[in-house]
Amino acid sequence: LEVQDLEDELEGLDTRIAKLEEEVAAFEKDISDRKNSNKEAEIAIAKYKEQQNNVRNNREFESISKEIEYQELEIKLNEKRSKESKAKIAHKKEILDGAKERREMRATDLAE
C-alpha cells in the first residue's frame, strides 16, 4: 500500500512539474510577444512623428499627438506586464525546484 502511495505521489509530482513548466513557457512567450509589440509601437511612433511634420491643420496635429501618446502608453504597459511576468516566472521556478526536489526524494524512497 505504501509503495502504491509513493507511485501515486510521484505521478502527481510529474504532472505538477509538467504543468509548471508549461506555465513558465507561456509567461516567457508572453514577454517575447510584448517585446515585439513594443518594437511595433516604436515604429508607429516614428511614423507618426514624421507625419506631424506634414500636417495641414491643428486638428490633424492633435490627432497624431494623441496616437503618439497612446503608443507610448502601450509601451509602458507592456513593460509593466513584462516585469510582472518575470516575477511570476521567478515564483513558478521556485515552486518547480521544490517539486523536483520532492520528486527526487520520493523516487529515492521508492527505490529503497
Side-chain angles (χ1 to χ4, degrees):
L1 185 63
E2 195 173 309
V3 171
Q4 183 65 36
D5 289 343
L6 282 174
E7 288 173 349
D8 290 346
E9 188 173 352
L10 278 175
E11 195 174 307
L13 285 169
D14 286 339
T15 303
R16 184 172 186 199
I17 288 169
K19 187 175 185 317
L20 286 168
E21 287 173 343
E22 286 175 14
E23 288 177 9
V24 168
F27 285 131
E28 288 172 346
K29 183 184 181 311
D30 185 49
I31 290 171
S32 174
D33 290 346
R34 291 189 189 288
K35 283 182 182 177
N36 290 336
S37 180
N38 280 354
K39 287 177 186 173
E40 291 171 8
E42 287 170 0
I43 291 169
I45 288 171
K47 183 182 82 172
Y48 290 135
K49 285 186 177 181
E50 190 172 316
Q51 283 179 357
Q52 268 185 332
N53 296 330
N54 301 321
V55 294
R56 299 183 215 290
N57 59 44
N58 208 23
R59 194 170 57 194
E60 266 185 77
F61 185 85
E62 288 297 319
S63 175
I64 293 172
S65 293
K66 291 288 183 194
E67 279 298 323
I68 291 172
E69 186 179 336
Y70 172 76
Q71 294 297 331
E72 289 171 345
L73 288 173
E74 200 66 32
I75 289 172
K76 287 180 184 176
L77 181 63
N78 284 336
E79 289 171 352
K80 178 183 175 196
R81 292 214 172 122
S82 289
K83 285 179 186 175
E84 290 172 357
S85 292
K86 286 177 185 176
K88 288 178 184 177
I89 286 173
H91 178 69
K92 294 287 181 186
K93 284 188 176 181
E94 283 179 24
I95 294 171
L96 185 61
D97 290 342
K100 284 181 179 179
E101 218 174 274
R102 186 170 174 175
R103 190 210 180 286
E104 285 180 29
M105 287 173 34
R106 294 298 176 222
T108 304
D109 289 347
L110 185 62
E112 293 175 354

